[in-house]
Amino acid sequence: MARSSYQRGRIEQRRGKYGLKWVLRYRIRNGSAWVEKTEELPVSGKATEKAARIAADKRMGVVNRMNNNRGELTMAAFLDRDWKAYVEGKNYKPETLAIYSRFIKKHVRPKLGDKILAQISPSDMTMFFSCVRAEIGKASIVTLYALLCLLFSIAVEAVLIETTPIRPKLHKPIYESPEKPALNSEQLVKLICELEPYYQRLVSTLLLAALRVNEGLGLRWCDVDFASGALTVNHTLWRRKQLVEPKTRSSKRTVAMSELLKSILLTQRRESQHTALGDFVFCKVDGNPLADTHLREDVLYPAMDRAGIQRVKNQHGFHIFRHSAGTIIHRLTKDGFQSKEMLGHSDIKTTETYVHRDDELLRETAELFAGELANCGLTVALAAATVH
């Protein structure tokens, strides 16, 4: 273990290209070695030596803490101590923490855990990213890069390292999100016809309200107001066991219900055995939440296959209903703002500056969208499947 160190540093007044300046010289610990450092003090070159010393003492307080905190602290020890304390003090969503934990367990600890935190270099990070590119997809590398930027920035703030070894020009991944597939109205209706009545109502609700699947699974009867014709997205269901805040601030929203959607939800309430305000709108027979994985693998994918819809890995899950809804709404209205509002996105910032939410127009949009699907046979399909 490295011994404690205390330095005052040496100050000098020098003449540079732009006149006089005060500089500070000191040593910085690099593992078991020491490196000489020289930096300009944030005072005028014409300041007194006393003023320069005050600035130097302030800087050396940081340097000394950094030198003595470094020691032989490994990345693994940093994760167990400083990172753990950091996340405990933040209000991260469980889904975000689960993603961070998975990347740390699979990539950060195995490849960087034994390294001395202060000795991890830009070259080490270049090798790290070169290695993980062979193991994970491009989108995952973007997330991993963001996590490592956060980890090292915390280490800098905690005065455990002087600078981050992450260099954007060397390490920032270049990634363009692929164009999202969407189904047309005829394909959507054909797909819904391949589902059992219960799942027809679930999928139709996701589609007509443009909900994320876990927003739909987290929907409770207290969120549905038949009198005003609106449903509110207050929560999203995480791992079938916890209601958490929606994905973003814009995701927490009120959705205008078309008459078709209202009819579907009234049928669902009539058919359900769980209709208390706190009960889930769509749930298992015992009232417990549904699992999105089961729904995707055992309900949605087989129905897509029966409907003759060619699936692409990671692109034809429940999110395709949001993409399809946004695409159809934009085609019908030629208004990107209405699509944005119905989907609960936080984009189109220029539009937000000049245009305000219009509830009546959103209700008209919901009816227009429902009418498009009804004309393709959705109303007939749902009526045929309704159990009287």
Side-chain angles (χ1 to χ4, degrees), residues 285-304:
V285 292
D286 61 1
N288 286 320
L290 294 165
D292 62 324
T293 303
H294 159 71
L295 292 173
R296 184 177 62 252
E297 299 290 338
D298 299 334
V299 177
L300 179 62
Y301 286 170
M304 282 185 168

Side-chain angles (χ1 to χ4, degrees), residues 236-252:
T236 183
L237 185 67
W238 182 70
R239 291 192 175 180
R240 209 182 65 181
K241 61 184 178 182
Q242 185 178 354
L243 288 173
V244 299
E245 289 290 306
K247 184 177 180 181
T248 64
R249 183 179 297 178
S250 299
S251 297
K252 194 168 187 177

